[in-house]
Amino acid sequence: MNGVGGIIVEVEAYHHTDPAAHSFRGPTPRNMVMFGPPGFVYVYRSYGIHWCVNFVCEKEGSASAVLIRALQPTHGIPAMRRRRRLHDERSLCSGPGKLTEALGITDKHNGLALDTLPIALHARIGKVEVATGVRIGITKAVELPWRYGLKGSKFLSKPF
DNA sequence: TAGGCGATGGTCT
DNA sequence: GACCATCGCCTAC
């Protein structure tokens, strides 16, 4: 992402059969991207203040997506610090609204493909241990254990 | 360290 | 007009 970025350490899954998902009630102008093919970026405004970013998954029409919740910063840390007005590296990207601010993601990135500049997504090298848990900040389907994170990471939005 | 709460505006009913 | 896939600050312990 324009020279800034990191390792994804925390995500949450959403699906059109899931009452907590934006796609649950069918397509609207806002969630349209979720109903398209996988490999695209869905950005929405959260609480009127923050941007949150999802990657559309599975097959076209399943309207499923993965919310990116936390990053371990690796590239462009000074630029991210400037955007976040922060000195603390740990809280730079430790939340969905924080990471979009640090990376400079806004609604203008909505609908972009994951392999189209300024966005690049790479496969992880090597094996990792994944922790699972219930999702954060939702009021529906709260019991589904669809939160996934890098076990023991110091850059999570919350411990598992 | 944990919990309460205000800010703030798009989206949907 | 109500609802939020949040954040950061402020208390209280």
Side-chain angles (χ1 to χ4, degrees):
Chain A
M1 181 78 196
N2 278 341
V4 295
I7 301 165
I8 296 172
V9 297
E10 181 183 342
V11 298
E12 283 177 3
Y14 290 88
H15 190 266
H16 79 282
T17 58
D18 161 20
H22 288 173
S23 55
F24 182 64
R25 290 169 192 281
T28 67
R30 174 176 68 148
N31 65 21
M32 209 165 60
V33 178
M34 281 185 81
F35 288 85
F40 286 78
V41 174
Y42 167 48
V43 180
Y44 69 93
R45 178 78 90 172
S46 173
Y47 290 87
I49 305 169
H50 310 286
W51 299 106
C52 293
V53 63
N54 293 247
F55 298 159
V56 179
C57 297
E58 216 182 344
K59 59 181 187 295
E60 179 161 3
S62 70
S64 53
V66 167
L67 169 69
I68 311 304
R69 287 195 54 89
L71 241 57
Q72 175 179 343
T74 56
H75 297 286
I77 290 171
M80 292 197 277
R81 268 205 252 270
R82 271 196 300 281
R83 291 199 182 106
R84 296 267 301 127
R85 300 169 293 279
L86 261 183
H87 299 289
D88 176 15
E89 192 167 318
R90 274 172 57 130
S91 47
L92 218 44
C93 298
S94 59
K98 299 181 188 177
L99 118 207
T100 53
E101 184 177 34
L103 295 178
I105 293 177
T106 68
D107 62 335
K108 75 173 190 247
H109 302 288
N110 189 40
L112 290 182
L114 279 172
D115 56 358
T116 306
L117 292 176
I119 292 168
L121 186 65
H122 303 285
R124 171 172 288 285
I125 300 163
K127 288 189 179 176
V128 294
E129 278 200 83
V130 175
T132 66
V134 295
R135 295 175 290 180
I136 294 176
I138 56 171
T139 55
K140 297 170 192 129
V142 291
E143 72 286 352
L144 287 177
W146 285 1
R147 177 175 177 238
Y148 305 93
L150 196 54
K151 209 169 186 175
S153 171
K154 295 176 213 157
F155 299 91
L156 300 169
S157 65
K158 272 188 178 178
F160 278 82

